[in-house]
Amino acid sequence: MATILEMRGITKRFGDVLANDRVNIKVEKGTIHSIVGENGAGKTTLMNICYGLYHADSGEIFINEEEVEIKDPSAAIKNGIGMIHQHFKLIPAMTVAENVMLGNEPRKNRFFLDIDELNGQTHQISEQYRLAVDPESLVEDISVGIRQRVEILKALYRKANLLILDEPTALLTPQESEDLFRIINRLKADGKTILFISHKLKEIMQISDRVTVMRDGKVVDTVEKKDTSEVKLARLMVGRDVLLKTAPPSKKIGEVILKAENLSAESELHHRQVLNNVSFEVRSGEVLGIAGIDGNGQTELVRALIGLQKLTKGKISLRGKDITHLHVKEMRDAGIGVIPEDRLVEGLVVNFDVQENTFLGLQRNKPFSKNGLLDWKAVASNAEQLVEKFDIRTPNITHPVRLLSGGNQQKIIVAREIFHAPDTIIATQPTRGLDIAATDFVHDELIKQRDLGKAVLLLSLSLEEIMLLSTRIAVIYKGEIVSIVNKDETTAEDLGLMMLGGTYEHIPA
Amino acid sequence: MDFLEVIKSIFTLSLAYATVRICISIVFAGMGEMITERSGVFNMGVEGIMLMGAFTAAVVAHFTGSPWIGLLAAAVVGVLIGLIFAFVAITVKANQAIAGLAIYLLCVGLSGYLLQVLFAHGGNSPKVETLPKIHFGFMEHIPVIKDVFNDQSVLMFPALLLPIILYIVFYKTPWGTWLRAAGENPKALAVVGKNPITIRYIAVLAGSFFAGIGGAYLSISQTSIFSEKMVNGRGFIALAAVIFGNVKPAGVFAACMFFGFMDALQFTLQTVIPDQYFPREVFMALPYILTLLILGGFIKRSSGPADISNPYEKESR
């Protein structure tokens, strides 16, 4: 079979980090070739080099066995490469067709957009591959799954023969993923080549013809799908035997700790209802997972629970005590710890050092404050303890947090919040961007806290994570809790359907 | 004085004439800044560029005897200052508000200094030739129109056409799509092979070009002299108009007209209502107070480009 893409000896450095180290990869025409590896293994960097977004420090790229220089995305497009990025490169305020044609719009009379042609061509490609996309919808009005198809349309419009999909299923429900796989298979049947980037081994085994495994910026191995298995891939990927495991069931579920009753809230900007009669309770010794597609009210819910989002009605109580109208600081002091969505924005002051970050928000509390002044000795000894206990890899406690890895940064937040929160831990996307080892660590810590009798509320966009950790699962859709079920009595498919609002129309067969 | 009569003596056709006359410079600056902001760049230096435009136009008109050459020179100087701003804000990725403020301060100092150097007596330039006013015979017989639009500066026509042209460019041409895309999500442009940096540069230079013309209008058309700080906040008002008008041609144009009207109104009030009844400083402050009030109420609801004020980083991870 002919080789469509070959990358030889690709090396790329970001400062001190060697993101790609003499990487070699060969992709056969008309196949589905997967690249697996942990976060930070260098998969996305390699693909960005292939697409001309980054420049390799050294190495060569061959397309159809001819050496090419890909200095920018237009060169990649000219060489028949299309890339569907993990974070979509779309403009929400424009229509589907405008997004598809951006940069290569059909014109009439030389100067003007040909809107009919714009919509017509988009419709035609959508029909050809049965993608079921409406060219005239605004991108901001369509779902994540459809947005992804718009990205695929963009590549097809530019006559891509090689499509790179970077973590395409990260934010999809099981139903949407299934559709994506159908589309990928159709593209393959049409002679296109697919480069599929992922760290989800199950789907890799489902869809690939061949798999390349990357670790620490290097290619570890390239294997045929038929000669490998999930377990073997995991071993190659991490270097040791780990597959994230389902948490053991809750041991002892006690009294209600955190209780939300009929929480409703509006967005500040357009007075849109963002939370609608949200009620749930989290008991001592359990993890309540909140599953949902991004943007269905999760952010507002967390903000409401820590006193940052104004409620139009509803009541929040902690151990039976009404805390609805408390100030953020008072809520924290009442016993709520939060692992925020974005550690760099809300969780840490990245230019502060480790010890300062270990007591952020607790400056006025004992033992850190003594007669209104900071007691740096207490701060340091607490920091030393946390670093020891949570295995935070830092040269010393006065090392700036921005220089630590994502996993170690996250450990600081987990350590701090667990240390100060006697009752309740709200964890939002607690393992976003972490590698398997760090993810495993955070999962273990949350389960440990659960077994110590704390109430854990877990919000995650990863349905997999929700399924691994939760005792019970609530599904949030358009600001409403549509269902609360026991983990053991549901499946990922059922949850996925609820996350989509109860109905889902598959793409035409 | 009878109340009704006072009202009548305020709201006259000459107030409408003055509104159009005053808003021309704000429209140029506002339309220019709208182009810039659509591309995702916020140029707070508009006031300064207008000031240098006004200064250059008067000086060049004085030495060449031609206000047309003065106008051209003002536009060129506007673009040159825009280039400095673009370099600092886009290439060096400095904070755009600070860069704009620096440009403003630079222009205030530079125009004042050069004025001193060139004419030795501070404060004003000599009187210069102005751009022609256009008088249409056919308008003489149309009531209202003849009072408001006849005998306005020749620059009124491009000022009135600009919002229409920009509407077409923004929404009916590929370039407009790219301009808006640069302001919404520059990475989306980069991945389809268009360089957002080029587009932002062009947008800043176009915006500065029009700010230069807006400034020139003040010294070689609305008046016939350059005096220090003569722009008097119109550049900042143009910034407000862009926000108020939601960075869309019709909205920004209407906002510019509104601010022009408020300015014309305060002039009229100063003359109609004698000083002993009411301090005229209050009227002079009126347009600015209104700007604050309106922005306070509207800025939250304004929905401009999503990526405004963020420098574009190519290899950001």
Side-chain angles (χ1 to χ4, degrees), chain A residues 12 14 45 51 54-55 73-74 77 85 89-91 94 98 102-103 105 107 111-113 158 269, chain B residues 168 171-175 177-178 180-181 184-185 187-194 300 314-317:
Chain A
K12 172 76 181 171
F14 288 103
T45 303
Y51 195 64
Y54 297 164
H55 298 151
S74 20
I77 292 165
H85 299 263
K89 309 292 183 209
L90 296 175
I91 294 157
M94 292 187 184
E98 282 175 320
L102 184 66
E105 294 85 352
R107 298 184 189 186
F111 296 110
F112 298 98
L113 284 175
R158 291 176 172 76
L269 201 57
Chain B
I168 294 170
Y171 300 105
K172 307 285 175 195
T173 72
W175 305 290
T177 313
W178 305 341
R180 288 186 289 131
E184 297 286 346
N185 182 358
K187 289 203 164 135
L189 266 180
V191 297
V192 295
K194 287 267 169 291
K300 257 190 181 169
K314 196 161 166 252
E315 290 208 357
S316 69
R317 291 232 276 174

Side-chain angles (χ1 to χ4, degrees), chain A residues 113-130:
Chain A
L113 284 175
D114 190 338
I115 306 269
D116 294 333
E117 194 62 13
L118 195 79
N119 290 326
Q121 283 191 36
T122 307
H123 180 72
Q124 192 212 320
I125 310 172
S126 169
E127 282 290 287
Q128 189 186 337
Y129 291 92
R130 283 157 293 164

Side-chain angles (χ1 to χ4, degrees), chain A residues 23-242:
Chain A
V23 170
N24 296 311
I25 186 170
K26 221 174 174 177
V27 181
E28 303 294 333
K29 203 174 165 140
T31 62
I32 299 174
H33 191 126
S34 294
I35 303 182
V36 294
E38 291 223 60
N39 288 310
K43 308 175 300 249
T44 301
T45 303
L46 185 67
M47 290 304 104
N48 280 338
I49 290 170
C50 181
Y51 195 64
L53 284 168
Y54 297 164
H55 298 151
D57 300 335
S58 61
E60 294 122 40
I61 302 175
F62 299 83
I63 300 284
N64 294 321
E65 293 169 27
E66 262 174 61
E67 181 161 5
V68 291
E69 192 201 349
I70 301 181
K71 60 180 197 312
D72 56 25
S74 20
I77 292 165
K78 248 179 242 138
N79 281 297
I81 304 172
M83 182 158 173
I84 289 88
H85 299 263
Q86 183 180 3
H87 303 286
F88 301 148
K89 309 292 183 209
L90 296 175
I91 294 157
M94 292 187 184
T95 67
V96 166
E98 282 175 320
N99 270 285
V100 168
M101 311 263 155
L102 184 66
N104 296 77
E105 294 85 352
R107 298 184 189 186
K108 59 183 178 197
N109 305 327
R110 263 188 83 203
F111 296 110
F112 298 98
L113 284 175
D114 190 338
I115 306 269
D116 294 333
E117 194 62 13
L118 195 79
N119 290 326
Q121 283 191 36
T122 307
H123 180 72
Q124 192 212 320
I125 310 172
S126 169
E127 282 290 287
Q128 189 186 337
Y129 291 92
R130 283 157 293 164
L131 299 180
V133 176
D134 172 21
E136 291 175 58
S137 307
L138 285 179
V139 167
E140 62 194 3
D141 295 336
I142 62 180
S143 70
V144 177
I146 299 179
R147 283 182 202 196
Q148 189 169 54
R149 292 183 222 154
V150 175
E151 286 281 19
I152 294 173
L153 268 173
K154 257 167 89 175
L156 293 173
Y157 171 65
R158 291 176 172 76
K159 307 255 182 294
N161 292 315
L162 171 67
L163 282 94
I164 303 169
L165 287 97
D166 188 8
E167 302 270 2
T169 58
L171 296 176
L172 300 187
T173 63
Q175 286 79 5
E176 289 169 325
S177 298
E178 198 184 308
D179 273 356
L180 175 69
F181 292 159
R182 276 195 216 172
I183 293 168
I184 289 177
N185 280 320
R186 265 174 216 171
L187 292 168
K188 181 186 164 185
D190 200 49
K192 311 270 185 206
T193 310
I194 312 290
L195 247 174
F196 187 89
I197 318 298
S198 183
H199 63 262
K200 296 187 185 169
L201 299 175
K202 207 166 157 189
E203 59 189 40
I204 296 275
M205 288 306 292
Q206 187 185 337
I207 196 147
S208 327
D209 295 315
R210 185 176 282 180
V211 186
T212 294
V213 183
M214 287 184 76
R215 192 201 317 157
D216 297 333
K218 295 190 186 77
V219 166
V220 185
D221 202 357
T222 296
V223 291
E224 297 294 325
K225 196 260 299 275
K226 59 179 178 358
D227 303 333
T228 189
S229 67
E230 266 185 68
V231 178
K232 281 186 191 163
L233 285 177
R235 210 172 292 150
L236 284 173
M237 202 164 121
V238 195
R240 59 189 171 98
D241 265 327
V242 274

Side-chain angles (χ1 to χ4, degrees), chain B residues 59-317:
Chain B
V59 169
V60 173
H62 171 75
F63 286 112
T64 63
S66 162
W68 290 107
I69 301 179
L71 180 70
L72 184 70
V76 170
V77 166
V79 170
L80 289 178
I81 299 170
L83 198 60
I84 303 175
F85 172 77
F87 179 75
V88 175
I90 301 171
T91 306
V92 184
K93 304 184 182 96
N95 178 305
Q96 293 177 4
I98 306 286
L101 211 53
I103 290 286
Y104 164 65
L105 292 171
L106 172 79
C107 292
V108 171
L110 194 63
S111 59
Y113 169 71
L114 291 176
L115 190 69
Q116 198 73 32
V117 170
L118 287 171
F119 302 111
H121 53 88
N124 302 330
S125 74
K127 214 165 165 357
V128 298
E129 183 98 3
T130 59
L131 292 170
K133 289 191 155 104
I134 303 294
H135 183 89
F136 290 102
F138 78 89
M139 272 193 191
E140 280 169 12
H141 309 292
I142 315 172
V144 183
I145 298 284
K146 76 172 186 323
D147 298 307
V148 179
F149 295 104
N150 229 352
D151 301 310
Q152 291 279 14
S153 163
V154 63
L155 286 179
M156 176 185 78
F157 299 96
L160 294 181
L161 280 176
L162 205 47
I164 300 167
I165 294 170
L166 289 180
Y167 174 80
I168 294 170
V169 172
F170 278 14
Y171 300 105
K172 307 285 175 195
T173 72
W175 305 290
T177 313
W178 305 341
L179 178 78
R180 288 186 289 131
E184 297 286 346
N185 182 358
K187 289 203 164 135
L189 266 180
V191 297
V192 295
K194 287 267 169 291
N195 190 347
I197 293 195
T198 314
I199 291 167
R200 287 186 168 181
Y201 256 90
I202 293 171
V204 169
L205 298 188
S208 310
F209 174 88
F210 288 120
I213 290 181
Y217 171 81
L218 293 172
S219 65
I220 59 170
S221 193
Q222 188 173 332
T223 67
S224 54
I225 196 166
F226 173 80
S227 57
E228 246 183 293
K229 295 180 188 140
M230 78 181 303
V231 178
N232 201 15
R234 285 181 185 83
F236 292 114
I237 285 190
L239 286 181
V242 173
I243 295 170
F244 187 26
N246 241 334
V247 208
K248 293 194 169 108
V252 175
F253 180 71
C256 291
M257 290 294 285
F258 174 77
F259 287 122
F261 170 74
M262 290 317 300
D263 208 18
L265 182 66
Q266 65 92 4
F267 275 118
T268 315
L269 289 175
Q270 279 185 50
T271 52
V272 173
I273 299 172
D275 222 9
Q276 65 259 39
Y277 294 116
F278 218 79
R280 56 199 265 272
E281 284 78 7
V282 173
F283 297 128
M284 286 166 73
L286 203 61
Y288 306 100
I289 293 170
L290 267 161
T291 309
L292 276 177
L293 287 179
I294 288 169
L295 288 182
F298 274 85
I299 204 156
K300 257 190 181 169
R301 256 167 286 165
S302 172
S303 54
D307 205 58
I308 189 96
S309 291
N310 290 333
Y312 170 67
E313 306 254 9
K314 196 161 166 252
E315 290 208 357
S316 69
R317 291 232 276 174

Side-chain angles (χ1 to χ4, degrees), chain A residues 344-414:
Chain A
L344 300 180
V345 176
E346 292 168 311
L348 298 165
V349 179
V350 288
N351 286 324
F352 279 15
D353 61 27
V354 173
Q355 62 170 348
E356 285 167 318
N357 273 290
T358 52
F359 80 117
L360 274 188
L362 308 171
Q363 300 91 320
R364 281 173 278 172
N365 299 27
K366 276 180 184 164
F368 309 121
S369 167
K370 217 165 152 190
N371 309 323
L373 292 174
L374 285 178
D375 180 352
W376 284 103
K377 264 189 202 148
V379 171
S381 83
N382 173 62
E384 295 282 7
Q385 272 177 37
L386 294 181
V387 164
E388 168 84 36
K389 191 168 162 237
F390 289 86
D391 188 26
I392 299 166
R393 307 276 168 85
T394 174
N396 52 58
I397 57 167
T398 52
H399 197 66
V401 158
R402 92 186 114 84
L403 300 178
L404 299 182
S405 72
N408 283 304
Q409 291 176 343
Q410 191 74 353
K411 281 181 184 176
I412 294 178
I413 300 174
V414 173

